[in-house]
Structures are given as structure tokens and as C-alpha cells.
Amino acid sequence: MNGPSFSSTAPFETHVVLNQPPPFAGRQLWTDDVALMEAVQREGAAAFAPRLAIYGGLAGNQLYQLGFDANRDRPRLRTHDAQGHRIDTVDFHPAYHQLMHAAKQHGVSGLSWHEPQPGVHVARAALSYLHHQAEAGTSCPLTMTHAAVAVLQAQPHLAEWARKAASPVYDARDVPVGDKAGLTLGMGMTEKQGGSDVRANSTRAEPIDGERYRLVGHKWFFSAPMSDGFLVLAQAPGGLTCLLMPRRLADGDRNAFHLMRLKDKLGDWSNASSEVEFCGAQAWRVGEEGRGVATIIGMVMMTRLDCMLGAAAEMRMALAQALHHARHRRTFGKPLVEHALMANVLADLALESEAATVLAMRIARAVDCAGSDPQEAALARLGTALGKYWVCKRAAAFVNEAQECLGGAGYVEESMLPRLYRQAPLNSIWEGSGNVQCLDVLRALGREPEAMQALRAELEAVADRDAGYAAALQRWASAPAPDESQARSFCERTVLLLQASLLLRARSPMAGVFVRSRLQGEHGLVFGTLPAGVDLGAMMARALPQ
């Protein structure tokens, strides 16, 4: 008799489960990722490899499982307690707090600041990349907390805030900052009438004394509303100004703001975003009056880098899920991964993922060196905008392609891919959408000659390693300066050259295929259109060990 047999003691069994991949969890996200390990060493953070290995194991096991719980039970706003008192509290699933505790403890939001040394920003970027693969929503408050330190540490009167934000301690209690060893920070920049045009903000900052102000107005997006403090923009007598608004005042009283509602978002379900009204809330000035945008720019380089890292991490996890499935699932007599067309898709995704990773890590090194090397500072300024535009723009299509590799299984929540797909558009919107990034690139090139000099130096350093790359570089260099309508086309060509140069510099086995497919036109408009003659199996093997 052919086919599976059934036990007479289990009369209600209708079938035997066959041809299903084993669970994905239980992976080591650091040692699985050859491109990441090579990039961390190349960009000067090799000393942190043992620490990254520990977090890679944690992210691929416990944190990976916690991520499902944190997203299944979304945050809830409680505006009043049972006695009718206004409390404005957001309740999270316990998994959210466990994720935040692990991330803070291991330096995802503070390593750059509490252990300053060469390469530390690269190591912190790698930690963020690993964490984001396990759970993306918590990356929002972690990123804001990390970036805010860059601004707060320059303000002597806010030294306690800077020190505690950088601390590897997570404390979820709703108590004054003086009672905490560690804290988290949120942001409130955009208003109903302004969006990206923050100069249109109408919230007023009325001076109280010295550096203290009273806020009256609203914010349409108020991120991570259970944070201990928030950086906000408001109109002071001297113009648009950055301020730090605490959740609790020093005496323990609630500050005078109301959470109006939580945003019902496409993704990012584990994390809360809100709308808020300020009813005379106290805040401290950060920087000079009228210099609010210039002050916030100190954070933008950090937050844009994390947008790029988040998108690259989502791509990496989607690729790993697709490869894992295709290696274990059999179709038409052989493993799915052995079908030539599927192999082309998976290898193409692996190529895109590695290019995103090496770019993010290179820009992290530029950020790391920006304080001591003007050329690196110029590259960081330009590279964060270029990388955020391109990598974040590619993520949604990438994740959807990975979903197709699983078929219907990629459309159900157990696979994690629906969560990644919902999350993927966020990084392209947050901290300035695609057009904002491209215009920022043109602005930087027009106002800062050193930016173009730094970019040319980076691109020309490997011009002798590949003839196809050299030809593409020559075409780019001889093209006329773009006007605004051509900003996207220019940024696309530029960032593809930058990614190719980094793969060539790394002597990655992926470099030649990237040049052929992305620079020489041997590629279509979708993934899975790599040219003939490419060793697809070797590309997949490099992307994820069996």
C-alpha cells in the first residue's frame, strides 16, 4: 500500500504533515551574516565582534520570539483611571519591555556614548541592525534616544538627561528623571498644517525664566509617548526653537499635556505613536532661540542612518526567511531552491541585501569619524541622505518578493513576512520622504563643495578594479548637473555607484554581478532578472549558511 499509514488509535487524523520547513527561530544572526561580519571588521569595529556575536544569538532566539508577542497585542491608551483622574498612560505587552531592556542593556541606544572609542558607532549600528531584524517597533524609541544624546550632550544644563539617555539601563516606570538611572526619549516635530515643513509649526513656546518655557499647541505625530522626555519644536519669541519637554516634572507631577489618541498605523504595531496637545507644559530650551531646525540637524544624521539600517535589516530578515523556506520546501520533485528561476530570484535578493548592508556600515564609519575627519563628515552628510533614500525605497518591493518565495505561507502572520511588509514603508517616510532626501542631496552638493569632493574620492578609489564600473563612473562624472525634476534619477545613479564601489573595495564575490546587473543594464525592473552565467548557488550560500 502506497502513501502514509495512520494509527488505529488516532481515528480522527486525516493526514500526515509533510514537506514543511522547520521553524526559523534558533539562528545566530551575527555568524549567519558573512557580509555584516566582514563590514564590521572593514569599517573599524572588529574589537566589538564578541559583543555582536552575543547579541546576534539573542536576537535570533529569545528576542525573535518576543517580537511576535509584542506585535500581537498592540499598545493601549488609557487617558483616565477608574476614579476619573487624567493619567495619559500607554500600556504595552510585557514583551515590549523585555525587548527594550535587552536593547538598552546591550548598547543598541547608547553604546556610542557610554563607551566612546574608535569604531563604536559602527558597532552600535550593527547592534541596531541585529535588533531590528528581531523586532522593528522598539527601534523607534531606541533610535530617538540614541540620536538625542548628540544634541543634549552639548547643553550643560541638560547633562543629566544626556547621561541617563546614554545609560545601558531601561526603566519603564512613569516617575521623574531624578529617580531613574536610565531613560528613553521621544520626539514631536510635525503638526497638522505642516508635515515636513516644520517651519510652519504653530505651537508656542512662552518664556518662563532663563531656559524654561511653557508650551501651548499640538503635535500631529508624537512618537513613543511613554518616553521620559521629548524633543519638540515650537515658536519662541526668537523663532522656531528646539525644546526638551519632560513627561514628569521634578516634583513628580504630570507635565501639562494630553495624549489625544494613538495612531492606527499600517505597521510598527509594537510601538505607540500619538497625537498630543500641550496645555502649558514646561520645557527647557535646547540650543539657541530661532535655531530649532539647525539644532535638530544634529540628530538627523543619526536618525537617517538608523532608517537605512532598519530597511537593510528588514531586507536581510526577509531574505533569510525566503532562503530558509526554499531550502526545505520541495516542489515538482526537488527543493525549491534548486529551481533555476527561483535561484535567480533568491540570488538577486541576496545581492541587493549585501549591497544595502555594506552601504549602511560604511556610512556608519563616516558618522564615527565625522568629528575628526572633514572628508568623512562630508561623506556622512551626503551618504545618510543618499542611503536613506535608496535603501528605504527598495525595502518594500524586496520584502514582497521574499513573500512570493513562500507563496501563501508568506501572507500569514506566522511567517513574520507580513509584519516585515507592513514595516517596510515606514523608514522611507520617517525623517523625510524620498523627495526630501533627494532635494537634500542636491542642496548639499550645491552648498558644500567638500561633499562632492568626498563622494568623488570614494568612487574613484576603486575605478581600476572593474572596467564596467569605470565606464559607469565616467558616464556619471560627465553628465550635466541635475535640476530638481531629475533629482531622483541622479540619486539613484549615484547610490548604485557608491554601492558598487563598496562591494569592489570589499572584494566581495558579489561585486562583479552587481556591476553587470545594476550599472551595465544586464537586469530588468524586478528581482530575479540577473544575467546568464552567474553562479547563483554560490551567491545564495554566501547569503545564509545551511
Side-chain angles (χ1 to χ4, degrees):
M1 178 178 177
N2 295 326
S5 59
F6 298 93
S7 168
S8 60
T9 60
F12 301 110
E13 288 186 3
T14 62
H15 64 286
V16 175
V17 176
L18 301 171
N19 197 24
Q20 286 289 330
F24 177 85
R27 300 208 69 107
Q28 223 296 1
L29 301 188
W30 167 251
T31 56
D32 271 2
D33 197 335
V34 174
L36 176 64
M37 291 191 294
E38 291 178 353
V40 165
Q41 177 159 352
R42 187 168 58 251
E43 308 302 352
F48 294 92
R51 186 179 307 201
L52 293 168
I54 290 171
Y55 205 68
L58 189 64
N61 289 272
Q62 296 98 312
L63 302 189
Y64 181 87
Q65 300 294 353
L66 288 170
F68 285 90
D69 292 332
N71 282 272
R72 188 176 298 112
D73 188 359
R74 300 195 216 178
R76 296 179 176 86
L77 171 63
R78 289 191 295 128
T79 57
H80 296 77
D81 66 12
Q83 289 72 41
H85 302 115
R86 185 100 198 190
I87 56 174
D88 287 318
T89 293
V90 180
D91 293 330
F92 296 87
H93 190 281
Y96 173 90
H97 297 297
Q98 292 173 268
L99 287 156
M100 289 292 293
H101 171 76
K104 284 280 281 183
Q105 181 183 34
H106 288 268
V108 175
S109 67
L111 182 66
S112 306
W113 313 119
H114 64 74
E115 295 187 35
Q117 57 184 288
V120 71
H121 277 281
V122 177
R124 201 285 318 175
L127 284 168
S128 181
Y129 176 90
L130 293 168
H131 181 86
H132 199 96
Q133 289 181 61
E135 205 292 299
T138 45
S139 290
C140 177
L142 294 167
T143 286
M144 291 186 295
T145 301
H146 174 256
V149 177
V151 173
L152 296 179
Q153 63 185 2
Q155 311 296 320
H157 63 293
L158 299 175
E160 180 186 18
W161 284 85
R163 176 173 53 82
K164 291 183 177 180
S167 167
V169 175
Y170 177 66
D171 186 344
R173 295 177 301 154
D174 184 11
V175 298
V177 168
D179 296 338
K180 290 190 168 192
L183 56 85
T184 59
L185 295 166
M187 290 171 62
M189 303 294 166
T190 60
E191 298 181 4
K192 297 183 176 99
Q193 74 284 350
S196 296
D197 184 8
V198 294
R199 294 187 188 278
N201 281 8
S202 62
T203 295
R204 303 189 310 278
E206 303 165 351
I208 301 175
D209 55 62
E211 287 145 342
R212 278 199 311 156
Y213 291 73
R214 182 177 291 107
L215 299 177
V216 177
H218 82 283
K219 293 297 172 186
W220 202 31
F221 276 91
F222 192 67
S223 298
M226 284 306 291
S227 299
D228 298 290
F230 309 89
L231 287 175
V232 301
L233 290 174
Q235 299 288 355
L240 192 65
T241 302
C242 180
L243 302 107
L244 172 66
M245 185 191 77
R247 180 175 178 80
R248 290 273 173 184
L249 301 176
D251 60 7
D253 286 350
R254 289 179 57 254
N255 209 347
F257 67 89
H258 293 160
L259 297 180
M260 307 308 293
R261 62 170 178 163
L262 298 187
K263 293 290 193 181
D264 190 4
K265 300 171 293 185
L266 169 66
D268 208 43
W269 284 358
S270 68
N271 178 53
S273 301
S274 64
E275 295 180 28
V276 65
E277 293 187 354
F278 305 131
C279 316
Q282 292 186 38
W284 288 275
R285 178 167 46 82
V286 181
E288 300 174 22
E289 267 196 22
R291 298 279 295 166
V293 173
T295 302
I296 290 299
I297 288 296
M299 295 177 59
V300 165
M301 190 165 63
M302 305 290 179
T303 52
R304 286 182 177 175
L305 172 61
D306 276 22
C307 288
M308 190 190 333
L309 287 163
E314 290 156 17
M315 292 159 72
R316 171 64 194 175
M317 178 52 71
L319 168 65
Q321 297 273 346
L323 277 169
H324 174 79
H325 178 89
R327 285 172 175 162
H328 291 93
R329 180 77 165 177
R330 296 181 65 84
T331 60
F332 307 105
K334 58 184 177 181
L336 186 57
V337 74
E338 293 181 10
H339 290 273
L341 187 53
M342 178 58 75
N344 196 312
V345 171
L346 291 166
D348 207 357
L349 293 175
L351 178 62
E352 188 79 16
S353 176
E354 180 162 339
T357 299
V358 298
L359 176 61
M361 290 298 121
R362 174 64 184 95
I363 301 306
R365 177 161 70 90
V367 170
D368 194 75
C369 301
S372 58
D373 187 332
Q375 183 165 304
E376 289 293 294
L379 184 63
R381 167 84 172 87
L382 198 60
T384 48
L386 279 170
K388 182 195 177 312
Y389 168 68
W390 184 246
V391 177
C392 297
K393 189 66 70 179
R394 298 288 280 172
F398 185 108
V399 175
N400 179 240
E401 197 68 64
Q403 284 182 297
E404 279 198 40
C405 295
L406 277 69
Y411 203 68
V412 296
E413 296 294 333
E414 288 90 339
S415 73
M416 190 187 188
L417 283 161
R419 180 174 13 135
L420 290 173
Y421 189 60
R422 288 193 301 270
Q423 195 75 26
L426 172 61
N427 287 305
S428 68
I429 295 172
W430 190 45
E431 290 302 319
S433 59
N435 285 352
V436 170
Q437 304 306 313
C438 293
L439 293 174
D440 202 21
V441 169
L442 296 193
R443 192 176 301 113
L445 293 175
R447 296 179 180 176
E448 305 168 24
E450 62 274 18
M452 179 57 85
Q453 293 167 10
L455 178 61
R456 283 184 179 274
E458 191 75 14
L459 298 179
E460 292 170 358
V462 294
D464 61 344
R465 294 192 183 178
D466 186 283
Y469 171 80
L473 179 58
Q474 178 59 37
R475 291 192 299 272
W476 175 84
S478 60
D483 61 23
E484 179 178 319
S485 70
Q486 298 303 303
R488 285 194 175 207
S489 294
F490 172 79
C491 288
E492 178 178 321
R493 294 193 304 273
T494 304
V495 76
L496 288 174
L497 275 169
L498 184 54
Q499 287 182 312
S501 75
L502 294 171
L503 291 170
L504 288 166
R505 186 189 299 268
R507 301 191 185 278
S508 168
M510 301 284 207
V513 186
F514 190 90
V515 171
R516 288 179 62 188
S517 60
R518 271 57 171 178
L519 300 184
Q520 293 184 289
E522 297 185 55
H523 196 265
L525 296 179
V526 296
F527 292 107
T529 54
L530 290 176
V534 173
D535 190 343
L536 304 173
M539 294 173 71
M540 291 185 288
R542 175 176 170 79
L544 189 73
Q546 289 277 12

